[in-house]
Amino acid sequence: MALLNRISRCLESASDIPTDVRFLFTREEGATIKEVKAHKMILGIASDVFERQFFGALGEPKDDIDIIDVSAEVFTVMVEYIYNKKLDWMDYNLGFLSSLYYAAEKFNIEELREEIIASIPEHEVSEENLLDVAILAEDNLHHQPLSDTLYEVAASFLKNKFDSKIENVYKFFSETEASEVDGLVLVKMMARMMSLPDPMCENCKKTACLDGQVLTRENFVPGATVLMNGQKSKLVEVDVDLGDGRSVQNRFIFLNIHKSVGYYHQCYSFKCI
């Protein structure tokens, strides 16, 4: 831990350990707009690509290296990751993370790729950015783990939105003005939806929701909300003391979570929606 903390401070201006390589980012007209400084040894330990570049037989002896296919912002975050800087992936949008994934693959930093993939499902997908996420997935087909994860989060949002109701499908497509590219990614999302598991109902804990179905001993779910004559109740499971050192587990329906009204009753039905 002490070593990692010291490494993370090596890029600070107060560090007495001098950097020995600069990565330069230039405009089309050739003017340098930003430079990122680092230490060849630290980069070489983190990446076998950097190791070959700086220390291999065919390596580059240069201390100034031009970077043309990764932005300065993305490259900076990659270097900060190598130096064990604390990063919150939720601070970056999916477009930025996709560019960072490209850099991590280019320089073969496997742990960074894995963290990016793991962070993608935590990002919000909405109606406003759904097609953008899907197009981003299509643009990254050459990075299959990234593309698959982006397509999966987009397809999951769409499946939850449709909620197994065909009228929701009709409504979505009637309101969507799709270009040729949009049409392609929509078809791919629809195909992926078929392989996604159905979401579990938070009330009855079933993928095939029990809403409206009659309560029985077999489908009893502790904590679920049920309904009778417009009155909502909660299902609970308690151990009843028989008075002789034995107990038996009984299933009760509680009105408004307070008053016990007895054992299961077939006049009750699940209220999930």
Side-chain angles (χ1 to χ4, degrees):
M1 183 62 69
L3 174 61
L4 294 178
N5 288 336
R6 285 186 58 81
I7 289 176
S8 67
R9 294 196 295 267
C10 284
L11 290 178
E12 297 176 1
S13 57
S15 175
D16 293 327
I17 303 175
T19 59
D20 56 1
V21 63
R22 294 192 311 166
F23 298 94
L24 306 178
F25 301 83
T26 61
R27 292 192 178 96
E28 289 184 3
E29 58 269 22
T32 299
I33 58 173
K34 187 170 182 179
E35 63 180 30
V36 177
K37 297 180 179 180
H39 304 81
K40 293 180 180 179
M41 181 65 71
I42 294 176
L43 297 182
I45 292 172
S47 160
D48 59 353
V49 175
F50 281 130
E51 180 183 8
R52 292 192 299 271
Q53 184 176 10
F54 298 139
F55 306 107
L58 301 178
E60 300 180 54
K62 297 188 303 180
D63 295 335
D64 290 345
I65 300 173
D66 292 316
I67 301 294
I68 60 175
D69 57 346
V70 178
S71 72
E73 293 74 19
V74 168
F75 195 89
T76 297
V77 171
M78 184 185 73
V79 170
E80 288 176 344
Y81 177 84
I82 291 173
Y83 279 75
N84 198 41
K85 295 284 187 178
K86 291 184 178 179
L87 300 168
D88 185 350
W89 301 127
M90 297 305 293
D91 291 339
Y92 306 96
N93 62 42
L94 293 176
F96 186 96
L97 291 178
S98 296
S99 297
L100 185 60
Y101 186 94
Y102 166 80
E105 187 156 288
K106 174 182 174 70
F107 294 101
N108 197 28
I109 306 175
E110 182 178 357
E111 295 84 356
L112 178 54
R113 296 199 303 269
E114 292 175 350
E115 287 195 27
I116 292 169
I117 293 296
S119 75
I120 289 175
E122 303 301 319
H123 284 71
E124 181 182 4
V125 178
S126 64
E127 290 186 33
E128 288 72 27
N129 70 357
L130 172 65
L131 289 177
D132 292 333
V133 174
I135 291 172
L136 193 59
E138 187 67 18
D139 289 343
N140 284 278
L141 287 176
H142 49 296
H143 303 302
Q144 187 173 349
L146 174 63
S147 179
D148 287 345
T149 305
L150 289 168
Y151 259 130
E152 185 170 318
V153 297
S156 294
F157 169 82
L158 205 55
K159 183 166 187 173
N160 290 334
K161 179 178 175 60
F162 291 162
D163 193 28
S164 301
K165 295 180 174 64
I166 191 63
E167 58 269 23
N168 290 342
V169 179
Y170 295 152
K171 184 175 186 295
F172 175 79
F173 281 99
S174 67
E175 296 175 349
T176 301
E177 295 183 7
S179 66
E180 185 175 342
V181 174
D182 294 341
L184 172 64
V185 298
L186 283 169
V187 169
K188 288 192 173 184
M189 280 192 290
M190 293 289 287
R192 286 175 181 266
M193 285 169 55
M194 298 296 294
S195 61
L196 293 175
D198 290 325
M200 179 182 292
C201 174
E202 294 184 2
N203 184 54
C204 68
K205 311 303 179 187
K206 306 291 185 183
T207 53
C209 181
L210 298 178
D211 185 60
Q213 294 191 30
V214 172
L215 173 67
T216 67
R217 292 186 183 276
E218 288 71 29
N219 64 18
F220 189 99
V221 179
T225 297
V226 293
L227 192 68
M228 185 177 74
N229 297 329
Q231 176 70 61
K232 289 184 180 180
S233 308
K234 284 284 186 181
L235 304 181
V236 296
E237 206 165 44
V238 295
D239 289 332
V240 178
D241 188 358
L242 298 180
D244 56 358
R246 294 179 299 152
S247 65
V248 63
Q249 191 175 67
N250 280 297
R251 293 175 166 180
F252 286 88
I253 301 169
F254 272 64
L255 283 176
N256 299 323
I257 323 177
H258 296 301
K259 181 182 177 183
S260 171
V261 297
Y263 302 100
Y264 95 102
H265 197 292
Q266 289 191 354
C267 291
Y268 286 87
S269 60
F270 282 90
K271 179 59 177 175
C272 300
I273 299 175

